[in-house]
Amino acid sequence: MKKLFYSQKLAPYVFVLPFALTVVIFWLFPIGNGVLLSFQDVLKDEWVGLGNYQRLLSDKIFLKAVYNSAKYMVGTLVLLIPFPMLFATLLNSKLMKKPGLFKSIYFVPALTSVVVAGTIFRLMFGEMETSLANQIIAVFGISPIKWLKGEWTSYFALLLLACWRWTGVNILYFLAGLQSISTDIYEAASIDGASKWQQFVKISFPLVKPTTVYVLTISIYAGLSMFNESYMLWKGNNSPQNIGLTIVGYLYRQGIEKRAMGYACAVGLILLIIVMAVNLVQLKATGTFDKEER
């Protein structure tokens, strides 16, 4: 028995076992169970085959949720990648005084509960003239707006909430990537007469590509799986004309509110397929797979 415990052949499997069990119990088993449930009508205890998926294709509310999630994802990608990269570059420069203070300030919103943040933003974008957003536009002579009842005004509120919460996190990601670049490269470029902009374009941007790909990957997942922000902004899962309904929100509506677990599982699997497909496309487009093949 002692030889078994001290076996060099067995040791790697012992170390891997906790991870393997975690994957099987908390990932593979739930996915397998979800796949089985997606082919059933749990309420009627019937096997419906592809019925749930066929229903999804003609479900206008589900298609609206997909559109909302995709629109939110694109907006966050446009805002939460270039701007954090720019801010990280500024923080990494020698001209920035007390960068630690600014890093702390930027990261504080990420520590704030989404319940608190969503409530504050809901009050900021209220319908009353005294709400913060309406007070700001009143300065420019614009009449009060029902922000959370319009499709594009509510979209603006959601993006602003996302930027407020996650800009600091992405800044830290990019800052870590920039700080891994040797200063000798910048010094050599400076000696050769390269400007700060040329150093950013020719050195910083290409060498921070792995970090960019990582941030892009997690941002796609976060954008398509967004739920809490929408739920808190509208104080529930029922926004006017479903303008704030997301794929996860629709899954919650079907699985928790209506107890249609089979249909909800079908929604969840479609979300999984969409996230994987989009990420595989962007990983291929960014040359990640090609680099691994070499």
Side-chain angles (χ1 to χ4, degrees), residues 222-260:
L224 289 174
S225 62
M226 187 271 289
F227 170 67
N228 291 332
E229 289 85 349
S230 175
Y231 189 90
M232 293 309 305
L233 202 59
W234 276 277
K235 202 177 181 180
N237 200 31
N238 295 309
S239 54
Q241 298 179 350
N242 295 310
I243 57 176
L245 183 66
T246 64
I247 302 177
V248 178
Y250 191 64
L251 187 155
Y252 178 87
R253 178 182 295 179
Q254 295 296 327
I256 305 300
E257 297 175 355
K258 297 184 178 180
R259 300 183 182 278

Side-chain angles (χ1 to χ4, degrees), residues 31-101:
I31 288 180
N33 192 42
V35 171
L36 289 176
L37 287 176
S38 70
F39 295 109
Q40 302 175 45
D41 186 335
V42 178
L43 293 176
K44 297 180 180 179
D45 195 19
E46 293 180 356
W47 182 269
V48 296
L50 296 175
N52 288 327
Y53 295 96
Q54 292 173 347
R55 178 183 167 189
L56 280 176
L57 294 176
S58 59
D59 191 334
K60 294 182 179 180
I61 299 178
F62 170 71
L63 297 178
K64 175 72 173 179
V66 173
Y67 170 75
N68 290 339
S69 295
K71 183 173 66 172
Y72 176 81
M73 177 199 71
V74 172
T76 54
L77 292 180
V78 171
L79 296 175
L80 288 176
I81 291 183
F83 290 107
M85 185 185 294
L86 176 62
F87 295 150
T89 303
L90 293 174
L91 286 173
N92 195 48
S93 67
K94 296 180 180 179
L95 298 176
M96 179 62 67
K97 297 180 180 179
K98 298 182 179 180
L101 175 62

Side-chain angles (χ1 to χ4, degrees), residues 37-282:
L37 287 176
S38 70
F39 295 109
Q40 302 175 45
D41 186 335
V42 178
L43 293 176
K44 297 180 180 179
D45 195 19
E46 293 180 356
W47 182 269
V48 296
L50 296 175
N52 288 327
Y53 295 96
Q54 292 173 347
R55 178 183 167 189
L56 280 176
L57 294 176
S58 59
D59 191 334
K60 294 182 179 180
I61 299 178
F62 170 71
L63 297 178
K64 175 72 173 179
V66 173
Y67 170 75
N68 290 339
S69 295
K71 183 173 66 172
Y72 176 81
M73 177 199 71
V74 172
T76 54
L77 292 180
V78 171
L79 296 175
L80 288 176
I81 291 183
F83 290 107
M85 185 185 294
L86 176 62
F87 295 150
T89 303
L90 293 174
L91 286 173
N92 195 48
S93 67
K94 296 180 180 179
L95 298 176
M96 179 62 67
K97 297 180 180 179
K98 298 182 179 180
L101 175 62
F102 286 96
K103 285 189 287 185
S104 301
I105 293 173
Y106 283 134
F107 193 74
V108 165
L111 303 177
T112 306
S113 168
V114 67
V115 175
V116 175
T119 302
I120 293 173
F121 271 75
R122 185 172 69 247
L123 296 174
M124 286 173 52
F125 289 95
E127 299 180 13
M128 300 177 64
E129 295 181 5
T130 54
S131 67
L132 180 60
N134 281 331
Q135 287 186 38
I136 293 174
I137 64 173
V139 175
F140 301 97
I142 303 175
S143 301
I145 297 175
K146 296 181 179 179
W147 295 91
L148 300 182
K149 289 187 177 179
E151 181 176 356
W152 291 103
T153 52
S154 60
Y155 178 59
F156 171 77
L158 270 175
L159 287 182
L160 189 62
L161 174 56
C163 290
W164 179 79
R165 292 198 72 217
W166 301 117
T167 297
V169 176
N170 287 357
I171 286 176
L172 293 184
Y173 285 139
F174 284 116
L175 191 59
L178 289 170
Q179 291 179 345
S180 67
I181 302 174
S182 175
T183 56
D184 295 339
I185 301 176
Y186 292 105
E187 291 175 0
S190 181
I191 293 173
D192 290 338
S195 65
K196 293 296 182 181
W197 173 250
Q198 289 174 327
Q199 291 178 31
F200 173 77
V201 174
K202 300 295 184 179
I203 299 174
S204 300
F205 186 73
L207 293 182
V208 85
K209 180 182 175 181
T211 304
T212 305
V213 172
Y214 172 74
V215 174
L216 185 60
T217 302
I218 63 175
S219 297
I220 289 172
Y221 165 76
L224 289 174
S225 62
M226 187 271 289
F227 170 67
N228 291 332
E229 289 85 349
S230 175
Y231 189 90
M232 293 309 305
L233 202 59
W234 276 277
K235 202 177 181 180
N237 200 31
N238 295 309
S239 54
Q241 298 179 350
N242 295 310
I243 57 176
L245 183 66
T246 64
I247 302 177
V248 178
Y250 191 64
L251 187 155
Y252 178 87
R253 178 182 295 179
Q254 295 296 327
I256 305 300
E257 297 175 355
K258 297 184 178 180
R259 300 183 182 278
M261 291 301 298
Y263 193 57
C265 286
V267 175
L269 286 173
I270 292 297
L271 172 60
L272 176 62
I273 292 171
I274 292 174
V275 170
M276 291 182 65
V278 174
N279 268 320
L280 286 173
V281 170
Q282 71 89 5

